[in-house]
């Protein structure tokens, strides 16, 4: 299908099953050369801070126990790193209009995507 439009994709979601499904969709569509998955937003911040992971794309869940997707974005904002080419997609099962409005108003979020991630949505992202 697609041919690695992105080099590195970072998936941040506390739900193991969601991560498994999302990863399979990303892998089978050849979305990125490298797919890094973490269930912890705090760990993701550390990886970014250390420069261990340099993603082109981040898929971020909203509702996570220790740090929400929006709290992640607050931390992300403080990181000293080049962010201009990083696309962040809020990937959530939330139907809360407040979450969607908050996503729309965030300068880092490219798009709000409802779970589950699908091939169709990936095609739209890549086109």
């Amino acid at each position: 299908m697609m041919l690695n439009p992105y080099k590195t994709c970072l998936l941040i979601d506390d739900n193991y099953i969601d991560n498994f499904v999302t990863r399979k969709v990303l892998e089978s569509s050849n979305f990125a050369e490298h797919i890094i998955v973490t269930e912890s937003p705090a760990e993701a911040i550390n990886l970014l801070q250390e420069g261990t992971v340099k993603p082109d794309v981040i898929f971020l869940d909203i509702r996570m126990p220790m740090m929400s997707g929006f709290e992640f974005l607050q931390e992300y904002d403080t990181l000293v790193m080049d962010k201009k080419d990083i696309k962040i997609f809020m990937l959530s099962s939330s139907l809360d209009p407040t979450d969607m409005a908050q996503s729309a108003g965030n300068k880092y979020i490219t798009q709000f995507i409802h779970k589950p991630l699908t091939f169709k949505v990936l095609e739209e992202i890549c086109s």
Side-chain angles (χ1 to χ4, degrees):
M1 207 162 124
M2 290 173 237
L3 288 168
N4 296 330
Y6 298 103
K7 190 161 176 55
T8 304
C9 175
L10 177 60
L11 173 59
I12 308 165
D13 192 330
D14 64 308
N15 186 310
Y16 176 81
I17 302 295
D18 286 348
N19 282 337
F20 181 82
V21 171
T22 303
R23 181 182 202 124
K24 286 289 174 215
V25 171
L26 291 168
E27 284 174 351
S28 55
S29 64
N30 290 316
F31 182 76
E33 284 176 46
H34 308 285
I35 299 164
I36 292 125
V37 179
T38 178
E39 293 180 20
S40 159
E43 182 190 356
I45 289 290
N46 290 338
L47 293 171
L48 292 167
Q49 209 164 20
E50 295 162 359
T52 314
V53 175
K54 293 182 170 65
D56 309 288
V57 177
I58 297 173
F59 286 103
L60 177 64
D61 187 26
I62 294 177
R63 297 212 162 80
M64 296 178 278
M66 304 307 279
M67 179 189 282
S68 75
F70 293 116
E71 289 166 333
F72 168 88
L73 290 165
Q74 289 171 345
E75 290 289 316
Y76 178 80
D77 190 46
T78 67
L79 294 179
V80 180
M81 57 181 275
D82 183 11
K83 302 176 185 127
K84 72 175 172 47
D85 293 327
I86 300 175
K87 290 183 178 176
I88 299 180
F89 295 96
M90 201 54 106
L91 182 62
S92 177
S93 50
S94 171
L95 297 173
D96 185 338
T98 313
D99 286 341
M100 289 179 228
Q102 198 173 347
S103 295
N106 188 292
K107 65 181 178 184
Y108 295 115
I109 297 179
T110 305
Q111 189 182 335
F112 186 100
I113 299 170
H114 287 284
K115 287 180 182 174
L117 186 64
T118 62
F119 293 116
K120 187 177 183 300
V121 169
L122 285 179
E123 282 178 337
E124 288 166 12
I125 288 173
C126 294
S127 62

